[in-house]
Amino acid sequence: MDKRQKIFPGQKYGDLTVIEPFHRVSRKGRKRMHWRCQCSCGNIHEVECGNLRSGNTHACPFCAARKRSAHRRKPFQRHRVKNVRRAMIDRCTNQNSKSYPRYGGRGITVCGRWLESLENFVEDMGLPDEGMTIDRIDPAGNYEPGNCRWATMEQQANNKINTVRYEYLGRSRTLAQWCRELGLNYDRTKARLSTYGMSFERAISTDKLTQRKRYTTPDGTFNSLEEVAEHYGMSVSGAHGRFKSDSRTDWRSEDLMRE
């Protein structure tokens, strides 16, 4: 502000409205022009003419202190979103982080706007509900607006880059989701797929399947422990122990499934 500008009653300088001038004598005997002003809070405050023109004084001491405190106070300081952002940046930039190989090590980055400030992050993402974490819609994409959302742990698990999905009835879902929808036992259905190599349609069949074992020894293959025991002239429990022994790698058993 121009220091030569004249001050008149009724003018506003920040939160201060000029009322009337007066002179005050300093300790050195110098007479200086001051203005009596009213702050927007109602307090009367006396301001030296130069400070009023320059803008150094723009409110009463109480309002000025309140504004300084509000400016210093960091928004969302006590909200867990602060830790969410910090962990996100850490796994993408800190090579000492345990998660770095799966994020920063794979080229996943955090956009510059979110690196700049917590306020920018919250402005784009909002605050998460309880139990929600940040999730990338495209697991191969970066942390940036448009590719991130607040998601539940289940949504996160179903959106991993290595999540296996099964096409059925024109929809693509994870095995856990299909089992919940169809009322199937997850462990049994998973075993049918991974252990016995069934097709997905056959694995989710409600037909009862029975299990049996096939036993392989140095002398050949047997269909039951009783056959093994009879062949070697030992008890059934003795034969069972040999198949369980880590030292007898040539005694092997495998599960079979049949209808």
Side-chain angles (χ1 to χ4, degrees):
M1 183 177 293
D2 189 349
K3 293 184 178 181
R4 294 171 298 178
Q5 179 182 350
K6 292 185 178 181
I7 301 175
F8 299 97
Q11 285 183 310
K12 288 185 67 66
Y13 292 86
D15 290 340
L16 298 175
T17 301
V18 177
I19 299 176
E20 59 183 359
F22 69 98
H23 287 89
R24 177 175 289 169
V25 179
S26 69
R27 293 180 181 178
K28 295 183 179 181
R30 296 178 59 185
K31 184 184 293 186
R32 300 186 67 88
M33 172 71 78
H34 284 67
W35 286 88
R36 188 170 289 107
C37 304
Q38 184 173 29
C39 185
S40 58
C41 68
N43 287 336
I44 301 298
H45 184 48
E46 297 175 349
V47 186
E48 194 272 328
C49 186
N51 287 332
L52 195 61
R53 285 199 185 103
S54 66
N56 288 339
T57 303
H58 53 79
C60 73
F62 302 101
C63 289
R66 187 164 56 247
K67 287 185 177 182
R68 286 195 299 270
S69 177
H71 178 72
R72 287 194 298 266
R73 188 167 53 246
K74 295 181 179 179
F76 323 113
Q77 186 72 21
R78 297 184 179 181
H79 197 285
R80 69 181 185 88
V81 71
K82 176 183 176 183
N83 294 331
V84 171
R85 173 179 171 271
R86 180 184 299 163
M88 171 186 68
I89 294 174
D90 191 57
R91 57 179 172 262
C92 291
T93 61
N94 181 8
Q95 296 186 13
N96 294 323
S97 169
K98 293 181 179 179
S99 301
Y100 180 82
R102 295 184 288 112
Y103 292 87
R106 289 200 301 115
I108 304 300
T109 62
V110 180
C111 70
R113 175 175 164 79
W114 290 358
L115 287 172
E116 183 180 336
S117 71
L118 174 61
E119 288 76 10
N120 289 346
F121 178 65
V122 174
E123 182 179 340
D124 293 336
M125 289 293 297
L127 297 176
D129 293 333
E130 188 66 31
M132 286 194 164
T133 57
I134 190 167
D135 178 46
R136 285 168 296 129
I137 299 170
D138 175 6
N142 297 320
Y143 286 103
E144 58 189 359
N147 191 45
C148 291
R149 62 180 177 178
W150 294 117
T152 63
M153 294 305 295
E154 180 183 349
Q155 289 173 317
Q156 284 252 34
N158 292 334
N159 195 39
K160 290 182 178 179
I161 197 168
N162 59 347
T163 298
V164 178
R165 294 178 175 274
Y166 297 91
E167 296 285 342
Y168 183 62
L169 300 177
R171 290 181 291 157
S172 176
R173 309 196 71 181
T174 65
L175 180 60
Q177 289 174 326
W178 280 121
C179 287
R180 280 195 296 272
E181 180 175 330
L182 301 175
L184 302 174
N185 180 282
Y186 175 82
D187 291 332
R188 180 175 61 195
T189 307
K190 182 178 180 181
R192 290 180 177 185
L193 288 167
S194 58
T195 304
Y196 306 113
M198 295 184 181
S199 67
F200 182 73
E201 288 76 8
R202 186 73 186 92
I204 63 175
S205 169
T206 56
D207 294 343
K208 184 178 180 180
L209 303 177
T210 58
Q211 177 177 310
R212 66 180 178 85
K213 286 182 177 291
R214 181 166 58 195
Y215 301 89
T216 301
T217 74
D219 291 348
T221 301
F222 302 87
N223 292 323
S224 68
L225 277 175
E226 287 78 6
E227 291 182 11
V228 176
E230 182 179 353
H231 176 79
Y232 286 94
M234 61 176 66
S235 66
V236 173
S237 61
H240 182 264
R242 293 199 178 189
F243 286 106
K244 290 293 184 182
S245 174
D246 293 335
S247 63
R248 294 182 177 272
T249 57
D250 51 351
W251 288 60
R252 305 185 306 277
S253 64
E254 57 180 320
D255 291 329
L256 301 175
M257 293 293 286
R258 65 182 180 187
E259 299 184 13

